[in-house]
Amino acid sequence: LSGSPALRRDNFASRLKRANCSFILNLCVADMGDFDEKSGVIDCKTPWGCWYQTLDEVVAEVNLEPGTKAKEIKCKLTGKKLTTVVRGQELMNGILAGNVVTDDFIWTVEDHKLLRIVITKSDRTGRSCWPSLLEGQYQADPVVYDNMEKKMTLERVQRENPGMNFADANITGDYYGGGPQLDN
């Protein structure tokens, strides 16, 4: 979208109306920065730390005993199976809840106390909000899952409307499955 902030907002509002949506946003037009940095992440707490997701990635953050070194960690992604062992203790072992790009997987140890595992989703459209990290394990509770879907819908709308800032937007209405489909 081009033009003044008011013109971009009006254009977006007319597209929502044409899509016959009950999708309501409280918009703020500003320079676009990093969406997650501005809006934060919706994390799902686990016994070992937390996990969260964006349109592109799923991230697991594992709290480590201070002083843990990378050589004490085995983290492996084979197909959709994720296995994580720290100092001989298995923390994760199961099938990921969604499809992933297996050759786009990385893990890092930060400050010898945090293991960050970043997995790239194969579906980056915003239509696939994972209900859990692994099938049947580390399930997001209904409130957390609801907030994850809202955030991912806003992230998708932000991506479709560069130049408008949705980081502080509120959303109500039909945002399940990525929200309304707007014509371009």
Side-chain angles (χ1 to χ4, degrees):
L1 295 173
S2 61
S4 71
L7 180 61
R8 288 194 308 260
R9 186 176 49 246
D10 292 346
N11 187 341
F12 181 72
S14 68
R15 288 172 52 213
L16 279 174
K17 194 174 198 176
R18 283 195 311 270
N20 197 19
C21 299
S22 62
F23 182 83
I24 301 168
L25 292 170
N26 187 5
L27 297 177
C28 141
V29 178
D31 289 333
M32 176 54 195
D34 182 53
F35 186 84
D36 289 325
E37 184 178 309
K38 289 184 176 187
S39 65
V41 297
I42 308 297
D43 60 0
C44 180
K45 302 293 183 204
T46 67
W48 39 258
C50 70
W51 70 273
Y52 60 89
Q53 61 187 312
T54 66
L55 288 178
D56 299 319
E57 301 171 332
V58 174
V59 179
E61 295 181 345
V62 179
N63 297 318
L64 302 171
E65 291 179 30
T68 302
K69 295 179 172 73
K71 67 182 180 181
E72 299 174 289
I73 298 169
K74 292 182 177 143
C75 191
K76 186 176 175 183
L77 179 64
T78 307
K80 284 182 57 175
K81 183 175 182 175
L82 177 66
T83 306
T84 305
V85 178
V86 177
R87 292 185 169 171
Q89 180 183 359
E90 186 175 84
L91 298 180
M92 291 181 246
N93 186 3
I95 305 299
L96 291 165
N99 293 323
V100 298
V101 179
T102 54
D103 60 351
D104 198 359
F105 158 75
I106 189 167
W107 62 271
T108 59
V109 177
E110 299 174 17
D111 299 325
H112 300 287
K113 62 182 179 182
L114 178 72
L115 168 62
R116 185 180 317 269
I117 303 167
V118 181
I119 303 164
T120 302
K121 293 178 172 181
S122 60
D123 178 1
R124 292 172 243 167
T125 64
R127 303 264 170 246
S128 99
C129 184
W130 292 16
S132 62
L133 178 61
L134 302 175
E135 291 179 0
Q137 299 178 56
Y138 314 117
Q139 187 102 11
D141 71 52
V143 172
V144 169
Y145 184 70
D146 185 60
N147 287 330
M148 283 178 169
E149 282 205 315
K150 285 180 185 180
K151 183 178 182 305
M152 287 178 58
T153 297
L154 286 172
E155 188 178 355
R156 181 185 61 79
V157 171
Q158 173 69 65
R159 202 175 271 179
E160 292 171 354
N161 297 278
M164 297 180 77
N165 180 358
F166 293 87
D168 296 320
N170 295 319
I171 182 174
T172 60
D174 182 15
Y175 51 82
Y176 298 102
Q181 295 304 300
L182 306 177
D183 60 343
N184 288 324

